[in-house]
Amino acid sequence: MKILLINNDGAGFADQIEIAHGTTLGQLFQDRVPHGRPQDYLIRVNRQPATADDVLQEGDRVSMTPTKIEGAIHLPNRDFSTTKGNLWERDNASTACTSSES
């Protein structure tokens, strides 16, 4: 049977692939991303969260998007409210927004 696989790992691609009837999402992940760990990916079937033991159906749309990028560094929380001078103001504890007032 055919499904659409959208792999956003690296350059990314979308392709119709042939899989065996009864293939689970976990089996597909192991076959297509053998170097990856499922906890490092956002994996969806038909744009919905799914579990590793979900059996794929003809025409399903599967996307695999890494949540951890190799080489990226984590910066501790920083105060960005003064990053752009007076144009930036704190919206809440984790975001900033532009201010139209000067």
Side-chain angles (χ1 to χ4, degrees):
M1 72 178 174
K2 283 191 177 187
I3 65 166
L4 177 66
L5 176 63
I6 302 167
N7 182 343
N8 296 309
D9 195 12
F13 64 87
D15 199 11
Q16 294 283 336
I17 62 169
E18 192 75 34
I19 62 171
H21 287 280
T23 300
T24 65
L25 186 55
Q27 291 168 332
L28 179 68
F29 182 84
Q30 288 291 31
D31 290 346
R32 295 297 172 153
V33 193
H35 63 278
R37 299 180 328 158
Q39 60 267 35
D40 293 339
Y41 286 78
L42 175 63
I43 304 169
R44 304 240 180 207
V45 176
N46 301 321
R47 298 184 179 163
Q48 301 297 316
T51 63
D53 57 349
D54 284 350
V55 176
L56 296 169
Q57 304 296 317
E58 177 82 29
D60 276 347
R61 178 183 184 266
V62 178
S63 63
M64 299 177 187
T65 306
T67 57
K68 297 185 178 188
I69 309 292
E70 186 175 327
I73 60 170
H74 173 72
L75 296 175
N77 288 339
R78 295 175 51 192
D79 181 6
F80 290 102
S81 62
T82 59
T83 302
K84 295 285 185 179
N86 293 334
L87 295 177
W88 290 84
E89 65 184 23
R90 203 167 218 22
D91 187 24
N92 65 35
S94 63
T95 63
C97 68
T98 58
S99 174
S100 59
E101 299 176 17
S102 295

